[in-house]
Amino acid sequence: MNDVARLAGVSIKTVSRVVNDEPGVHPSTAERVLAAIDQLGFRRNLSARNLRRGSSTGTIGLVLEDVGNPFYSGVTRAVEEIARLRGRQVISGSSDEDPGRERELALEFCSRRVDGLLIVPAGLQHSYLVPEMRAGTPVVFLDRPAGDVVADTVLVDNIGGTVEAVTHLAAHGHRRIAFLGDAPDIFTANERLRGYREGCVRAGIGYHEELVAMGPHDESSVATTLQRLHTMREPATAVVAGNNRITVYVLRALAGVAERPALVGFDDFELADLLSPPVTVIAHDASALGKAATDLLFARLDGDNSPPRRVVLPVRLVPRGSGEVHA
Amino acid sequence: MNDVARLAGVSIKTVSRVVNDEPGVHPSTAERVLAAIDQLGFRRNLSARNLRRGSSTGTIGLVLEDVGNPFYSGVTRAVEEIARLRGRQVISGSSDEDPGRERELALEFCSRRVDGLLIVPAGLQHSYLVPEMRAGTPVVFLDRPAGDVVADTVLVDNIGGTVEAVTHLAAHGHRRIAFLGDAPDIFTANERLRGYREGCVRAGIGYHEELVAMGPHDESSVATTLQRLHTMREPATAVVAGNNRITVYVLRALAGVAERPALVGFDDFELADLLSPPVTVIAHDASALGKAATDLLFARLDGDNSPPRRVVLPVRLVPRGSGEVHA
DNA sequence: GGCCACTATGACAACGTTGTCCCCCAGCGG
DNA sequence: CCGCTGGGGGACAACGTTGTCATAGTGGCC
């Protein structure tokens, strides 16, 4: 900026006026300045600007589990979209389900003075965020609630979803319905397990420990589990898969198997309708989740300081065939 | 920082020493300072730090087409991974194939003084980046080359891929092979068309204009096109789909159709092997692409100033069934 | 001519850090 | 007692901006 000023033969302040479209600069002066800017390839330093103005940095931080997972990349897309409309950039990072990494990312973002933080919690401890929140950085948790702070949270109806899945399968005559869930310390996994259990009880088919296999899962553990479920004394005739990854593992394990159990998967996924049989799922909308959370964040930035809200988005069962197989 | 200094009864510089682990601070002083930091919830302002030190901002900018697309979210994941190893954060944005938006994002990132820029070009004009590049910001283009600047570029072997697809189909007896590609002004679409044409010529089946339908495509345009290809005088017996989205549109259009043409899709995708028939694809690795580009970027940041490189990553045909259907 | 209002511009401080340089003081050798 | 050394700490400037206020010039009006 100094160089521009020298080249244009004006003071640095006048350059500032020009780049900020402030009134009161003579057109011919402005032109000289613009020419100098162009010649030198000057671009104003946003960090310095924000520092001086004490204003927003125009960024929001997004901590999620893994951008590579289509579910979270859908969330990311929605967040980006809304942020763009509000003139913000998104800084993001994947925690890989590691609480330490989540914390590291979140605090790093705070050091960068993001205007707000969107977090898919990996851990259960979020008191480390209390100073930041008290200092005025709004934080919204999504997909899972924070462990030990009260804060805005956007969830999906995990319990309702699995209740519905079990109910649906039971209505089609299944009485031995298995549940393959993620690691039980993950909030959503645990909730879905609760929903499964409640669904079983409501359907009058009882809750049987041996039909549940919580993760972490990989392709081979799922295959082994399905094998066990199939060969037990009273085999499972239906399976509820606890998330999109597990659903895929189940599908892989069942490929080529003649007697397939019925299947309902939590999370919708592309091509679910083109498989044979098409996969019945508990669908919810990643972009709705991202949008709801980001909207909430911006409401806070706009000065909304009502008590923390907890939003629960609905899920819906999409029957496609795999869950309608008769026992 | 001022407040911390006052509370700890030291000068602001001593606080700085403590937060930077600089030597020469008495342990008891350091302890007082740390207590004050904790009490006040102080977190140092990275913008100010970077401004003062004139050093890197510790961020890299990533402009891609759409994080929501699994291919690009795979790229994003890889970029994040490497950036993390090198202590950088990733700021990203989706251009939605809009050159103006791409430019806006890239320049915004430059204003934020990112250490480097990774761009999936949406347009063909990138001279707007010349000042930045001359000012020392390394830029790497990925998936597609820049329009009018020489710069590091990482591509996949688009031509080789479609040549192979056509060769494969011809080897299975197909002589009427159609190509459904994206909008021809997109570099990859155009290259793949060239590969298709070359493949046809090499296979001795000739290039026929009426078998080509370039986009932009959506589900219904693909359906219409397939209809046309099926009912023409000499119907197409095989289809090459130009990218993952088009492949999915083709699959949807063919769902339930009795006489399906053979199909080879460009880009691999999850569950391709579980469809019936399983989908033969030209596979390449999103994370390899992201990794190669990011490695190149960091090499530049490490001072490598050899002439711009162009890296072309290999693709490989993965036969799964849909391309091996006999005519 | 003197004064006013107004326009165009500049000088300077400040944002929150850190690098440089300087000071104070205790301990020690001569 | 003096001077030197070294550890611990502070004052101040500077990074690149922008907000505040001041100033110089210009034209109009009494």
Side-chain angles (χ1 to χ4, degrees):
Chain A
M1 197 142 150
N2 232 321
D3 304 342
V4 173
R6 214 172 8 242
L7 181 60
V10 297
S11 83
I12 172 179
K13 176 65 208 189
T14 298
V15 178
S16 169
R17 276 193 256 265
V18 172
V19 302
N20 288 301
D21 272 332
E22 282 175 35
V25 179
H26 196 89
S28 73
T29 313
E31 200 162 332
R32 271 201 337 274
V33 171
L34 287 173
I37 286 178
D38 217 52
Q39 186 179 332
L40 296 174
F42 166 81
R43 182 115 28 227
R44 87 172 149 207
N45 185 324
L46 269 185
S47 300
R49 167 175 232 248
N50 293 329
L51 175 58
R52 169 61 235 238
R53 305 186 63 179
S55 66
S56 117
T57 57
T59 52
I60 65 179
L62 171 63
V63 180
L64 27 74
E65 192 225 314
D66 174 12
V67 234
N69 184 322
F71 175 67
Y72 291 114
S73 70
V75 170
T76 306
R77 186 62 216 267
V79 172
E80 254 186 21
E81 207 58 40
I82 311 228
R84 185 170 76 86
L85 294 176
R86 307 287 301 252
R88 256 77 164 196
Q89 302 298 327
V90 177
I91 314 186
S92 65
S94 303
S95 71
D96 269 323
E97 218 61 273
D98 171 357
R101 176 93 188 106
E102 172 213 304
R103 178 189 159 127
E104 197 180 297
L105 281 167
L107 291 182
E108 164 82 24
F109 293 165
C110 287
S111 275
R112 292 187 184 281
R113 296 292 187 272
V114 291
D115 299 339
L117 222 35
L118 291 168
I119 302 186
V120 175
L124 295 171
Q125 306 218 331
H126 296 87
S127 47
Y128 69 87
L129 281 171
V130 169
E132 317 296 339
M133 294 171 67
R134 209 151 36 200
T137 307
V139 179
V140 176
F141 294 89
L142 62 165
D143 195 42
R144 312 169 186 173
D148 48 3
V149 302
V150 273
D152 289 317
T153 310
V154 181
L155 306 171
V156 301
D157 184 7
N158 293 294
I159 297 187
T162 36
V163 165
E164 197 172 350
V166 172
T167 307
H168 181 78
L169 289 165
H172 282 79
H174 294 281
R175 314 207 62 72
R176 297 284 289 172
I177 302 171
F179 180 73
L180 273 63
D182 211 335
D185 55 332
I186 297 175
F187 172 82
T188 48
N190 197 35
E191 290 278 288
R192 290 169 195 180
L193 173 59
R194 280 179 54 197
Y196 162 77
R197 184 191 300 231
E198 187 176 326
C200 288
V201 171
R202 281 204 217 165
I205 58 178
Y207 171 75
H208 305 286
E209 191 97 27
E210 78 270 18
L211 291 175
V212 171
M214 300 301 279
H217 280 300
D218 56 28
E219 193 165 338
S220 82
S221 77
V222 166
T224 312
T225 302
L226 286 176
Q227 188 61 29
R228 179 173 66 73
L229 289 168
H230 183 63
T231 53
M232 60 188 2
R233 215 161 312 153
E234 291 182 76
T237 62
V239 172
V240 175
N243 66 32
N244 57 359
R245 274 172 307 215
I246 295 175
T247 306
V248 170
Y249 295 146
V250 169
L251 290 169
R252 285 197 193 293
L254 294 181
V257 168
E259 273 180 75
R260 297 166 67 113
L263 170 66
V264 176
F266 211 107
D267 302 329
D268 200 358
F269 56 97
E270 183 156 38
L271 299 175
D273 55 329
L274 292 183
L275 293 165
S276 53
V279 180
T280 295
V281 298
I282 305 298
H284 54 110
D285 191 348
S287 67
L289 183 64
K291 179 172 182 340
T294 315
D295 282 343
L296 199 43
L297 190 72
F298 277 113
R300 295 305 182 185
L301 287 174
D302 289 344
D304 173 356
N305 50 13
S306 53
R309 278 201 280 270
R310 169 180 285 229
V311 177
V312 178
L313 299 176
V315 301
R316 66 179 207 289
L317 187 132
V318 181
R320 294 203 177 109
S322 73
E324 291 75 47
V325 183
H326 287 268
Chain B
M1 196 142 151
N2 233 321
D3 303 343
V4 173
R6 214 171 10 241
L7 181 59
V10 298
S11 84
I12 171 179
K13 176 64 206 188
T14 298
V15 178
S16 170
R17 279 193 254 264
V18 171
V19 301
N20 288 301
D21 272 331
E22 282 176 35
V25 179
H26 197 90
S28 74
T29 314
E31 200 161 333
R32 269 200 341 272
V33 171
L34 287 173
I37 286 178
D38 217 52
Q39 186 178 334
L40 296 174
F42 165 81
R43 182 113 30 224
R44 88 172 147 206
N45 184 325
L46 269 187
S47 300
R49 166 175 232 250
N50 293 328
L51 176 58
R52 168 61 233 237
R53 306 187 61 177
S55 66
S56 120
T57 57
T59 52
I60 66 179
L62 172 63
V63 180
L64 27 74
E65 193 225 314
D66 174 11
V67 234
N69 184 321
F71 175 67
Y72 291 113
S73 70
V75 170
T76 306
R77 186 62 217 267
V79 172
E80 254 187 22
E81 207 57 41
I82 310 229
R84 185 171 75 87
L85 293 177
R86 307 288 300 253
R88 257 76 166 196
Q89 301 299 327
V90 177
I91 315 186
S92 65
S94 302
S95 71
D96 267 323
E97 217 61 274
D98 171 357
R101 177 91 188 109
E102 172 214 304
R103 179 189 160 127
E104 197 180 297
L105 281 167
L107 290 182
E108 164 82 23
F109 293 165
C110 287
S111 276
R112 292 187 184 281
R113 296 291 188 273
V114 291
D115 299 339
L117 220 37
L118 292 168
I119 302 185
V120 176
L124 295 171
Q125 305 217 334
H126 296 89
S127 46
Y128 70 87
L129 281 172
V130 169
E132 317 296 338
M133 294 170 68
R134 210 152 36 201
T137 307
V139 179
V140 176
F141 294 90
L142 63 165
D143 194 41
R144 312 168 187 174
D148 48 3
V149 301
V150 273
D152 290 317
T153 310
V154 181
L155 307 171
V156 300
D157 184 7
N158 294 294
I159 297 188
T162 36
V163 165
E164 197 172 351
V166 173
T167 307
H168 181 77
L169 289 165
H172 282 80
H174 294 280
R175 314 206 63 72
R176 298 284 290 171
I177 302 171
F179 179 72
L180 273 63
D182 211 334
D185 56 331
I186 297 176
F187 172 82
T188 47
N190 197 35
E191 290 278 288
R192 291 169 194 179
L193 173 59
R194 281 179 53 199
Y196 162 78
R197 183 191 299 230
E198 187 175 326
C200 288
V201 172
R202 280 204 219 165
I205 57 178
Y207 171 76
H208 305 286
E209 191 97 28
E210 80 270 17
L211 291 176
V212 171
M214 300 301 279
H217 280 299
D218 57 27
E219 191 164 340
S220 82
S221 77
V222 167
T224 314
T225 303
L226 287 176
Q227 188 62 28
R228 180 174 65 72
L229 289 167
H230 182 64
T231 54
M232 60 186 5
R233 215 161 313 149
E234 293 182 76
T237 62
V239 173
V240 176
N243 66 32
N244 58 358
R245 273 172 308 213
I246 296 176
T247 305
V248 170
Y249 294 147
V250 169
L251 290 169
R252 283 196 195 292
L254 294 180
V257 169
E259 274 180 72
R260 297 167 67 115
L263 171 65
V264 176
F266 211 107
D267 300 331
D268 199 359
F269 56 97
E270 182 156 38
L271 299 176
D273 56 327
L274 292 184
L275 293 165
S276 51
V279 181
T280 296
V281 297
I282 306 298
H284 53 108
D285 190 348
S287 67
L289 184 64
K291 179 174 183 338
T294 314
D295 282 343
L296 200 43
L297 190 73
F298 277 113
R300 297 304 182 185
L301 286 174
D302 288 345
D304 174 355
N305 51 12
S306 53
R309 278 201 279 271
R310 171 180 285 228
V311 177
V312 178
L313 299 176
V315 302
R316 65 178 207 291
L317 187 131
V318 181
R320 293 202 177 110
S322 74
E324 292 75 48
V325 182
H326 287 269

